[in-house]
Amino acid sequence: MSESGESEIRRLDQSTIERIAAGEVVERPASVVKELVENSLDADASRVRVTVERGGKDGIRVTDDGTGMTRENVERAVEKHTTSKIGDISDLEAGVRSLGFRGEALAAIGAVARVTIRTKPRGASRGIELRLAGGEVETVEPAGCPEGTTVEVSDLFYNVPARRKYLKRDATEFSHVNRVATGYALSNPDLALVLEHDDREVFSTTGQGSLEATVLSVYGREVAEAMVEVEGADLPDGPLDGVTGVVSHPETNRTSPEHCSTFINGRYVTARAVRDAVVEAYGDQLAPDRYPFAVVFLSISPESVDVNVHPRKLEVRFADESGATEQVKSAVRTALLDAGLVRSGAPRGRSAPEQTEIEPGDDGATNSAEPSSTSRDTNAEVSRTGPSTTDPEPAEPTEPETSPTTAHDSESEATPAETASADPSMESSAGPAAPSSQRDQGDDGSSTLPEPSNRSEETGRSPVEADRKFSGGETQTTLDGDRVADDADFDSLPPLRVLGQLHDTYVVCESPDGLLLVDQHAADERVNYERLRERFAGDTGIQRLSTPIEIELTPAETELFAEFEDALAGLGFRADLDDGRVDVTAVPAVLAGAADPELLRDALSALVRDGNANDTVEASADALLADLACYPSVTGNTSLTEGSVMELLASLDACENPYACPHGRPVVVEIGETALADRFERDYPGHAGRRIGESEQ
């Protein structure tokens, strides 16, 4: 300490400086893969093989057939701020066209790992091997090797134990590696790229220049066949010169945005604004927590985009971001409309004539008793477990195995509450059944949806009626036939008097302190989550399917399934893997009516989600239950009777935490009396100076 009491300022030693700087470039094994693959592409490689062990934590090897390096160049390449990509600041300001340019990659990797580089220039008689550890060159000597370059990285973060400690489990780290490898494979269809993990080949692209073939290799046939071409013709004015690529059918989606890949001038980047524009182009054809598969290429003048925003070069900054995103949204939406996969701007309940498809054998007449594909769209928010809302073709007859509540043999008995909620005769005549039981049973045993409430075509809101809900009239009862009290006392929630529904989405109540709003979906999601958690903690029963259902996985999901098969079995899924497909034979019984075998993919995502390496299956199961609780929950834009509202509030009050959904979103919002008085400016000047009549109170 100095005499003034301030700490003495010192210059850091070079080793500490290098490790701090390396942390900006090398965050995890995927960062290493990204930098090395970019170097291979800049070296004009036509073939690249990426091999990782334990998600890259135990080893990374990238081999290419590029130009290779001489002894002089390889010694210089591992020094900081050395590059062949740019010469001075003018090259950077003019726009960088190479993938690498900062001159930090090899030096940063070498500062936090042990690195071996074997390289041989094209036409040379022998190669060079350089060994690097902790930023120090250990040896440089001749070596026999093929033309091109191989970089092996081991003991990542061996000298930065704090960083190694915070690496995630192997599957999570591999998912990040796969995302990088997939991105560069998709952005370079003329590159033959192979990804291997723990001695297993995950995918291999042909390198023949076909984007369709590349999508097939990295995502599998099911996804490849669901892709729609984006041509980007007639774009609105904006900075982009072109928007091309492919996007998936709305029903081909996942819970993670990682399959929305964006490329700017061939550079694989994380551009959240562009990804959001792609998702917005789908309109209401995607649930809020689902993302499509997308491979979108943007062409733009290098001067109009800054790629030097972040040390890892993943983020970019547009000079005109709003213009660029509007162009992307327009291009994707046009592609989906041309393919008949999204509605036009026609009013709700009406279909644009050119979007109506006639199947062979159909005489063109519409049976008024059968909902059209467009009318099914209006029910998309009613139940996430219901029929497809986006398929332009008439729905296929429901197979017995797709209705697990009726066609499957359950190994656990349904509770009386579930039996009551599944019985249509128990519904209140004033509206749909209570939350958490949106499905009714049809005469043939298949699952059906409740009739949608009447809505105004112009506004999408319920029309104002003389006899509004909760305004009197017939006595309201619960599903059990008990009369509903005007006011309800709760243990966790404050005493409430239900006033009605706002926009068929929020329950409006009066509380002692003011006005209280309850998000009906978030509330029901919390109720379902705690019920699922309680049942899962008791006994993870399974519900056998009468006929196994085949689900196709992407190559990356196949790799993850092999690792998590036992964990999935612990959650209640039974499935057998066979050449990229799984035959699901049983699902968790706790899912009840939402037992959709397709949820196995979501279970995989939950298990892989960023958890620490020592996270237990139970922790991942909890995250999965939070996701699954959403499926049977009452949605927004669903009309409820007063009886079902009171049941929902009573169930919410019994929850351990009634104030937040399992994903952390608020369930209850209260506007206090003071806030209301402030909004109405009841303390305006002069107001307090005179007596307030009872009519003003």
Side-chain angles (χ1 to χ4, degrees):
M1 299 287 289
S2 63
E3 292 182 2
S4 63
E6 295 180 355
S7 299
E8 181 181 354
I9 297 176
R10 324 184 211 13
R11 181 179 296 278
L12 294 173
D13 62 86
Q14 190 61 30
S15 176
T16 303
I17 293 173
E18 290 175 353
R19 293 186 193 179
I20 292 174
E24 297 179 345
V25 177
V26 184
E27 179 186 20
R28 61 195 334 151
S31 307
V32 175
V33 173
K34 175 184 181 297
E35 298 295 343
L36 297 182
V37 171
E38 285 186 349
N39 282 348
S40 296
L41 292 171
D42 285 339
D44 194 31
S46 61
R47 303 186 66 83
V48 175
R49 180 177 293 271
V50 179
T51 303
V52 295
E53 298 175 17
R54 290 192 59 214
K57 291 190 288 186
D58 277 5
I60 300 168
R61 182 171 69 252
V62 177
T63 301
D64 67 56
D65 62 350
T67 56
M69 292 178 284
T70 63
R71 178 179 182 129
E72 179 182 13
N73 280 339
V74 73
E75 288 180 327
R76 188 171 297 162
V78 297
E79 297 175 4
K80 195 170 181 62
H81 302 309
T82 58
T83 181
S84 61
K85 317 298 172 56
I86 63 174
D88 53 34
I89 191 64
S90 63
D91 292 336
L92 194 62
E93 293 175 345
V96 180
R97 288 173 170 80
S98 61
L99 297 175
F101 58 86
R102 298 174 66 94
E104 296 179 312
L106 287 176
I109 296 168
V112 293
R114 304 184 194 279
V115 179
T116 300
I117 304 174
R118 284 184 290 275
T119 183
K120 178 180 177 181
R122 292 173 179 170
S125 58
R126 63 179 181 178
I128 299 295
E129 180 180 278
L130 181 146
R131 292 183 179 273
L132 181 69
E136 299 292 331
V137 176
E138 294 182 334
T139 61
V140 183
E141 55 191 17
C145 59
E147 293 181 356
T149 301
T150 295
V151 180
E152 294 184 5
V153 179
S154 60
D155 291 338
L156 184 62
F157 300 131
Y158 80 97
N159 54 355
V160 191
R163 177 64 63 89
R164 186 173 181 87
K165 175 183 177 182
Y166 287 101
L167 290 177
K168 308 301 181 181
R169 60 175 57 158
D170 296 355
T172 299
E173 294 301 339
F174 167 71
S175 71
H176 287 280
V177 170
N178 175 75
R179 189 180 311 173
V180 169
T182 295
Y184 285 109
L186 292 170
S187 63
N188 298 273
D190 56 348
L191 172 71
L193 191 147
V194 179
L195 173 63
E196 294 180 347
H197 181 223
D198 291 343
D199 298 324
R200 291 191 297 267
E201 183 178 288
V202 179
F203 70 77
S204 174
T205 63
T206 64
Q208 296 177 351
S210 169
L211 177 59
E212 292 75 13
T214 304
V215 171
L216 176 64
S217 296
V218 301
Y219 288 142
R221 184 169 301 280
E222 181 183 45
V223 174
E225 291 177 347
M227 287 299 198
V228 175
E229 185 176 2
V230 177
E231 297 179 349
D234 300 324
L235 293 176
D237 292 338
L240 301 180
D241 298 325
V243 180
T244 59
V246 291
V247 294
S248 69
H249 187 291
E251 287 189 343
T252 303
N253 57 64
R254 294 293 190 271
T255 58
S256 170
E258 68 180 75
H259 301 103
C260 293
S261 302
T262 304
F263 308 93
I264 298 179
N265 294 341
R267 181 187 301 277
Y268 174 47
V269 298
T270 300
R272 179 171 298 179
V274 175
R275 182 196 71 198
D276 291 346
V278 171
V279 174
E280 288 174 11
Y282 283 79
D284 60 357
Q285 303 299 301
L286 283 173
D289 60 345
R290 311 298 291 191
Y291 297 88
F293 286 81
V295 183
V296 180
F297 298 92
L298 311 184
S299 299
I300 186 173
S301 169
E303 291 80 6
S304 299
V305 60
D306 184 4
V307 299
N308 190 31
V309 177
H310 191 275
R312 293 193 296 276
K313 307 184 295 296
L314 273 173
E315 301 175 13
V316 296
R317 182 179 293 123
F318 293 99
D320 179 11
E321 183 176 280
S322 62
T325 55
E326 189 59 35
Q327 287 180 294
V328 172
K329 183 178 178 181
S330 173
V332 174
R333 184 163 183 81
T334 297
L336 293 171
L337 282 170
D338 289 346
L341 299 180
V342 298
R343 290 197 306 269
S344 69
R348 183 181 294 272
R350 300 176 183 173
S351 178
E354 63 272 19
Q355 289 179 259
T356 303
E357 295 189 8
I358 306 298
E359 287 295 306
D362 190 344
D363 60 3
T366 301
N367 186 345
S368 60
E370 295 296 330
S372 67
S373 60
T374 304
S375 67
R376 288 199 307 271
D377 290 338
T378 67
N379 296 336
E381 289 296 323
V382 175
S383 173
R384 295 180 55 193
T385 62
S388 163
T389 62
T390 54
D391 195 338
E393 299 180 357
E396 294 293 332
T398 303
E399 295 293 335
E401 61 269 23
T402 61
S403 299
T405 58
T406 60
H408 303 152
D409 299 325
S410 175
E411 294 191 359
S412 61
E413 295 183 0
T415 64
E418 291 169 343
T419 304
S421 64
D423 186 352
S425 65
M426 297 300 291
E427 284 192 42
S428 169
S429 60
S436 304
S437 58
Q438 293 298 306
R439 285 182 155 201
D440 300 332
Q441 298 301 320
D443 294 337
D444 60 353
S446 61
S447 297
T448 60
L449 293 174
E451 291 295 325
S453 57
N454 295 327
R455 302 189 186 283
S456 168
E457 290 182 348
E458 290 77 13
T459 65
R461 300 297 183 192
S462 298
V464 178
E465 300 174 357
D467 186 15
R468 299 192 62 153
K469 290 183 305 178
F470 314 147
S471 62
E474 296 183 4
T475 301
Q476 297 290 338
T477 62
T478 67
L479 293 182
D480 296 326
D482 299 327
R483 180 168 177 163
V484 178
D486 292 334
D487 298 280
D489 291 328
F490 299 110
D491 294 328
S492 299
L493 298 173
L496 301 175
R497 183 163 68 93
V498 177
L499 303 179
Q501 265 185 298
L502 175 64
H503 298 163
D504 283 348
T505 299
Y506 306 101
V507 178
V508 184
C509 305
E510 179 185 357
S511 72
D513 296 325
L515 188 67
L516 189 140
L517 300 176
V518 178
D519 184 324
Q520 64 194 39
H521 174 72
D524 204 28
E525 192 175 31
R526 163 53 65 175
V527 172
N528 285 325
Y529 165 71
E530 295 204 6
R531 288 175 178 170
L532 288 173
R533 187 178 62 178
E534 181 179 353
R535 293 176 63 184
F536 182 81
D539 179 21
T540 311
I542 64 173
Q543 183 172 332
R544 297 235 177 241
L545 306 182
S546 58
T547 302
I549 295 180
E550 184 181 273
I551 297 177
E552 184 168 336
L553 302 178
T554 67
E557 288 170 338
T558 300
E559 176 71 13
L560 295 172
F561 178 85
E563 182 167 344
F564 282 115
E565 185 173 4
D566 291 342
L568 289 168
L571 295 176
F573 288 97
R574 299 289 189 274
D576 299 316
L577 180 64
D578 181 21
D579 192 26
R581 293 177 173 83
V582 291
D583 291 326
V584 183
T585 58
V587 294
V590 295
L591 303 187
D596 182 357
E598 296 278 348
L599 296 179
L600 182 140
R601 292 195 188 101
D602 293 352
L604 275 176
S605 297
L607 289 168
V608 173
R609 200 166 294 154
D610 281 358
N612 291 326
N614 58 353
D615 275 358
T616 63
V617 173
E618 287 73 19
S620 297
D622 190 71
L624 174 62
L625 293 179
D627 290 342
L628 298 182
C630 187
Y631 285 82
S633 298
V634 62
T635 63
N637 293 324
T638 300
S639 179
L640 304 177
T641 66
E642 186 171 2
S644 61
V645 166
M646 296 305 297
E647 282 195 358
L648 173 61
L649 293 177
S651 299
L652 179 65
D653 182 65
C655 289
E656 179 182 337
N657 176 15
Y659 294 101
C661 82
H663 297 99
R665 198 164 59 85
V667 172
V668 177
V669 173
E670 187 172 28
I671 305 175
E673 185 177 3
T674 302
L676 287 171
D678 182 62
R679 292 287 299 182
F680 283 102
E681 302 180 10
R682 294 183 62 83
D683 59 347
Y684 67 89
H687 187 277
R690 61 186 178 87
R691 187 178 299 278
I692 301 175
E694 289 186 3
S695 62
E696 289 186 76
Q697 293 288 343

